[in-house]
Amino acid sequence: MTYAHPRTVHLHPLLRDAHGRVIRDLRISITDRCNFRCTYCMPDEGVTWKAAGELLTLDEILALARVFVGLGIEKIRLTGGEALLRDDVVALTRALRQLPGVKDLALTTNGYRFEQYAAALAEAGLQRITISLDSLREETFHRLTRVRALDRVLRAIELAHRYRLTPVRVNCVLMRGVNDGEIEDFADFARAWDVSLRFIEYMPLDGPGEWQPTLVVPGREVRDRIQARYPLIPIAGQSPSETARRYRFADGAPGEIGIIAPVTEPFCGACSRLRLTADGKLRTCLFSVVEYDLRDALRAGAGQRELAERILTAVAQKEAGHRINEPDFIPPSRTMSCIGG
């Protein structure tokens, strides 16, 4: 069965949830597999990958993307696992870029395989890239990722600049006692490499289940430490739904700092995101405990209108917030690597 090239049908002017939030952003996980084993994302051993037949095919991703775009989605980000482990990522990028209504197409990667894909992705129409880099020190990088690949990640950042996938974003998940001693070093890095360095609070999505509040480095602490070295000036957000609070350097140096603080400074009230997992489940929040199956409906022959109704039903039930700090918080059964970053 093929789903290639059906016309995008605009079925609804926009997606709006019960809390009045307009949904414009979709994150599509295209694989659950990863060649890193980041401690905040998945366990070191015992990971069971989805069988190939369980994952959405390229045509299925495109069929669902057309429905989402018809409902008002404007921004799409491809994620994993590690998105560049999927060999058809360039073809998928090209096809998504051609969808009328897609204004922003980005990709998140650990950078390990980026060199072999950089030119082709840029030619296919990729607009922006986010590269994960949690330490600038070889041994700490290895401790966090369980892979020795710091040089490859730095090379990926260089190539992102070369192919003008800008502004180049670099994500750093901070963990107390692990890499929080590098905050000022990362600020230096942002200035020297002209990147948007985004510090992300450690969230309860790790594979081993070792998360605890004491391991979280609050965003305010990060701001204060960088401010002590380099005075910062806030950058006005382009949209209320932006997750990062952004700052430029007061002395005019290149680069910028972003703070994403979902634990200590939640931004759920302006959330505009949906997530589609690699096996075709729609999640309305990163911390959802409920998923909506679009893959099986698609494979059973559901048309665009039926799929749209399923999406509208799910969005109507989108959570008000993630409840991380509430006593009744229940972490999702899937880890970050399965959900998609």
Side-chain angles (χ1 to χ4, degrees), residues 21-150:
R21 298 171 297 195
V22 176
I23 311 302
R24 296 296 193 195
D25 306 335
L26 175 66
R27 295 201 162 199
I28 303 177
S29 172
I30 62 175
T31 179
D32 62 333
R33 298 172 187 264
C34 191
N35 47 354
F36 284 16
R37 293 292 183 274
C38 297
T39 57
Y40 55 81
C41 185
M42 69 169 70
D44 188 14
E45 299 177 344
V47 180
T48 301
W49 308 120
K50 294 288 183 181
E54 296 182 78
L55 303 183
L56 293 173
T57 66
L58 183 148
D59 281 348
E60 288 172 337
I61 294 172
L62 291 177
L64 291 173
R66 288 186 182 91
V67 178
F68 279 106
V69 172
L71 291 169
I73 290 295
E74 298 176 341
K75 299 172 65 176
I76 294 177
R77 175 173 291 275
L78 300 179
T79 71
E82 169 48 40
L84 298 185
L85 289 179
R86 183 149 174 168
D87 292 336
D88 57 5
V89 64
V90 174
L92 177 59
T93 298
R94 181 176 292 106
L96 289 172
R97 190 70 185 96
Q98 293 172 359
L99 288 182
V102 175
K103 297 180 180 179
D104 185 73
L105 181 59
L107 179 142
T108 296
T109 176
N110 60 32
Y112 190 89
R113 303 185 76 191
F114 185 62
E115 186 162 11
Q116 72 186 78
Y117 286 107
L121 284 169
E123 186 276 331
L126 186 68
Q127 294 167 282
R128 294 186 298 108
I129 192 167
T130 297
I131 298 171
S132 298
L133 176 61
D134 299 311
S135 179
L136 299 169
R137 303 170 186 173
E138 287 277 3
E139 289 308 312
T140 305
F141 182 94
H142 179 253
R143 176 183 174 187
L144 280 164
T145 65
R146 305 179 180 109
V147 175
R148 295 197 180 278
L150 179 57

Side-chain angles (χ1 to χ4, degrees), residues 182-248:
E182 299 183 59
I183 291 172
E184 291 83 0
D185 294 341
F186 269 112
D188 293 339
F189 183 85
R191 294 162 63 91
W193 287 64
D194 188 15
V195 298
S196 175
L197 203 299
R198 307 197 308 170
F199 295 96
I200 304 174
E201 289 182 342
Y202 178 31
M203 293 177 283
L205 289 162
D206 58 312
E210 296 173 352
W211 183 90
Q212 51 186 303
T214 55
L215 296 175
V216 176
V217 182
R220 182 174 298 279
E221 177 183 329
V222 177
R223 285 192 295 272
D224 290 347
R225 285 175 56 176
I226 296 175
Q227 179 82 24
R229 176 173 291 192
Y230 301 115
L232 299 171
I233 297 176
I235 299 172
Q238 297 178 335
S239 166
S241 64
E242 286 187 3
T243 58
R245 295 188 179 181
R246 299 165 53 214
Y247 304 86
R248 62 181 176 87

Side-chain angles (χ1 to χ4, degrees), residues 17 19-22 240-241 265-272 318-322:
D17 68 15
H19 309 284
R21 298 171 297 195
V22 176
S241 64
E265 301 174 53
F267 39 79
C268 303
C271 181
S272 66
K318 182 172 168 64
E319 301 85 343
H322 56 54

